[in-house]
Amino acid sequence: MEKANYRDTIAHLNGLFPGRATITPQEAAQIMDCDIKTVRSAMVRVKNPLPSVSVTSKKRVIPIPAFARWLA
């Protein structure tokens, strides 16, 4: 089931990042107006983690649709 604010959130994110499927943790930190350490700790949290995908052993990206669901 889709959360109530999902469509507004995904539209806003698509407006900020047109044509992109993912964002970096740094960009997520800017959107949420928090420190990058907060975003990184949210990605490894056990309960309700921030969805991310490992690209390499040292680089992770955040899919925009999953991020919108997590924010909504």
Side-chain angles (χ1 to χ4, degrees):
M1 181 165 208
E2 189 176 286
K3 293 183 179 179
N5 295 336
Y6 174 74
R7 289 186 189 266
D8 293 335
T9 306
I10 193 80
H12 179 69
L13 291 172
N14 284 333
L16 291 174
F17 306 103
R20 291 180 51 189
T22 63
I23 59 173
T24 65
Q26 292 83 2
E27 291 168 332
Q30 290 175 345
I31 290 167
M32 296 189 301
D33 193 29
C34 67
D35 191 80
I36 185 66
K37 291 178 185 179
T38 305
V39 172
R40 292 192 192 283
S41 67
M43 290 190 309
V44 297
R45 197 166 48 191
V46 174
K47 187 176 181 181
N48 192 24
L50 173 60
S52 62
V53 176
S54 181
V55 177
T56 65
S57 62
K58 294 186 178 186
K59 182 176 180 177
R60 297 185 75 79
V61 294
I62 302 167
I64 291 176
F67 185 51
R69 259 184 248 108
W70 187 80
L71 287 172

